[in-house]
Amino acid sequence: MVAGVYLDYNATAPVLPAAAEAVAVALRQPGNPSSVHGFGRAARARMEDAREVVARLVGAAPAQVIFTSGGTEAAALGLHAFRDRPVLVSAIEHPCVLEILPRAERIPVTADGVVDLDWLATRLRRDPLPAVVAVMLANNETGVLQPVAEVAALARAAGAAVFCDAVQGPGKVAVDMSGLDVDFLTLSAHKLGGPQGVGALIARTPESLPPLVVGGGQERGRRGGTQNGPGIAGFGAAARAIAAGECVSCLTDLRDRLEAGIRRLAPQAVIWGEGAERLPNTTCVGLPGIDQQRVLMALDLAGVAVSAGSACSSGKVAPSHVLTAMGATPAQAREAIRVSLGWASAASDVDAFLDAWGRLARASAA
Ligand code: PLP
């Protein structure tokens, strides 16, 4: 078992004890949810219970939940039918949205990382009008919350459908699909304390959704293949724990402690999206003149795990498209690291980060 201070929840959250237990219970039981015998019916009951809890977590109906292998597949399922049509996506979307719609027109963001509503309103007054507008709930790198309900109102008035990647929301902020008024919303269990490899697309009208994977008729014909029963059980248990308010309460206090420490140690540091409304758990910070790889290595040596932007892009040399869209220079984009807290984080974790990071901050100031 690797020991250390884990501050990379936006990459993946540690599994909540209740979720681990639900996975273990389901793994001990045979049963395909499509089988009609007792074992199959029990597996189906566990899955439908999870479907109900996940639906309730985001204010949707159970019949609107389509279980997938994660947030990436959920985005592909919701968006693949729009590939050859005019579409608008925010410039800061996760690659799972950007790459399923490679010809999409990009909605710019402000310097604080918020979708530019004025730009969108102007764009929606001219042709071609988009078939769908995709804007995420919260950015995974900066934590900046997006004005999804306002985007939806503009998009709807122009006759477009609305897609929202809400993967980084639950467990950190309340998510209400009907309040947001979106047609599609995506979730990923491992970002909210469930297991990896399971997620969901919540679709307003799932019956009109063309499937991406066919054969078997599972998920009412929207997603073929035997469902990940144990994973879905864990997803449900994590969603239940979150709905009970187990995880969010002290995140803001911890993040404030972190950012006060950063400011004290390095007034020259740049906190991306600082002026915008953000998730209570995320800080994206750069030290002028110090490359993120150096910061990551120094922190790793000190036993503190954070990441450079999104986990998926951390192996690449390209600077973050999110920070670039916010106006960062290539050098600034290569200096930023992401610290993300969660349900098991403690003040001592924040202090361990500040202790190790402070040494670099002094080098940056010198
Ligand atoms: N969307 C966002 C905003 C994410 O942060 C991630 C994961 O990093 C994904 C989608 C992809 O989710 P998954 O890892 O479940 O495929």
Side-chain angles (χ1 to χ4, degrees):
M1 173 125 168
V2 181
V5 173
Y6 187 79
L7 298 175
D8 202 10
Y9 278 69
N10 288 11
T12 197
V15 176
L16 286 158
E21 178 58 20
V23 173
V25 166
L27 280 172
R28 284 196 287 267
Q29 299 281 322
N32 183 322
S34 299
S35 298
V36 293
H37 49 60
F39 294 99
R41 290 199 305 277
R44 175 161 290 273
R46 282 192 297 274
M47 188 171 76
E48 294 312 320
D49 174 60
R51 196 185 304 278
E52 228 178 280
V53 182
V54 168
R56 211 178 313 128
L57 184 69
V58 295
Q64 295 175 311
V65 176
I66 303 160
F67 285 121
T68 65
S69 65
T72 301
E73 187 196 327
L77 177 58
L79 292 170
H80 74 106
F82 295 102
R83 283 176 76 96
D84 297 322
R85 303 178 64 190
V87 290
L88 288 176
V89 304
S90 91
I92 56 164
E93 291 301 301
H94 188 272
C96 69
V97 169
L98 295 176
E99 292 182 27
I100 195 74
L101 298 171
R103 289 185 293 281
E105 193 178 341
R106 306 253 174 125
I107 310 168
V109 295
T110 64
D112 264 334
V114 182
V115 156
D116 188 337
L117 288 172
D118 292 336
W119 184 95
L120 181 62
T122 306
R123 170 60 187 84
L124 290 174
R125 275 184 229 119
R126 67 172 169 79
D127 288 330
L129 287 175
V132 69
V133 177
V135 172
M136 67 202 322
L137 186 77
N139 184 263
N140 44 302
E141 294 187 31
T142 61
V144 172
L145 292 164
Q146 301 301 317
V148 176
E150 287 91 327
V151 167
L154 289 170
R156 235 167 247 309
V162 187
F163 174 96
C164 180
D165 172 343
V167 160
Q168 292 291 347
K172 303 162 193 161
V173 287
V175 183
D176 172 25
M177 182 156 171
S178 45
L180 294 173
D181 195 22
V182 299
D183 300 282
F184 304 100
L185 186 127
T186 58
L187 300 174
S188 173
H190 74 104
K191 307 289 186 179
L192 53 86
Q196 297 176 351
V198 58
L201 173 69
I202 324 287
R204 191 195 291 270
T205 53
E207 54 291 349
S208 60
L209 185 74
L212 193 56
V213 180
V214 290
Q218 288 88 348
E219 298 299 295
R220 293 193 167 91
R222 298 307 107 195
R223 199 264 189 179
T226 301
Q227 293 94 337
N228 174 0
I232 290 170
F235 189 5
R240 186 171 271 126
I242 284 171
E246 219 167 86
C247 319
V248 262
S249 50
C250 56
L251 284 179
T252 312
D253 289 350
L254 283 181
R255 209 265 309 271
D256 290 350
R257 181 185 185 99
L258 171 69
E259 295 193 356
I262 287 173
R263 284 276 157 255
R264 192 177 61 247
L265 291 163
Q268 77 278 21
V270 180
I271 296 180
W272 294 94
E274 193 177 15
E277 260 193 85
R278 283 177 294 155
L279 292 173
N281 79 319
T282 307
T283 299
C284 180
V285 60
L287 275 171
I290 310 228
D291 190 88
Q292 60 195 186
Q293 294 309 323
R294 189 174 152 203
V295 183
L296 293 188
M297 270 190 303
L299 289 172
D300 191 37
L301 281 174
V304 180
V306 301
S307 72
S310 68
C312 321
S313 63
S314 58
K316 298 184 201 160
V317 277
S320 151
H321 70 284
V322 174
L323 300 185
T324 302
M326 292 166 70
T329 63
Q332 283 178 314
R334 273 195 295 270
E335 286 159 0
I337 60 155
R338 177 187 67 193
V339 185
S340 50
L341 312 158
W343 65 269
S345 301
S348 57
D349 297 329
V350 168
D351 295 346
F353 167 85
L354 290 171
D355 190 43
W357 187 83
R359 290 194 281 274
L360 289 154
R362 281 191 288 281
S364 149

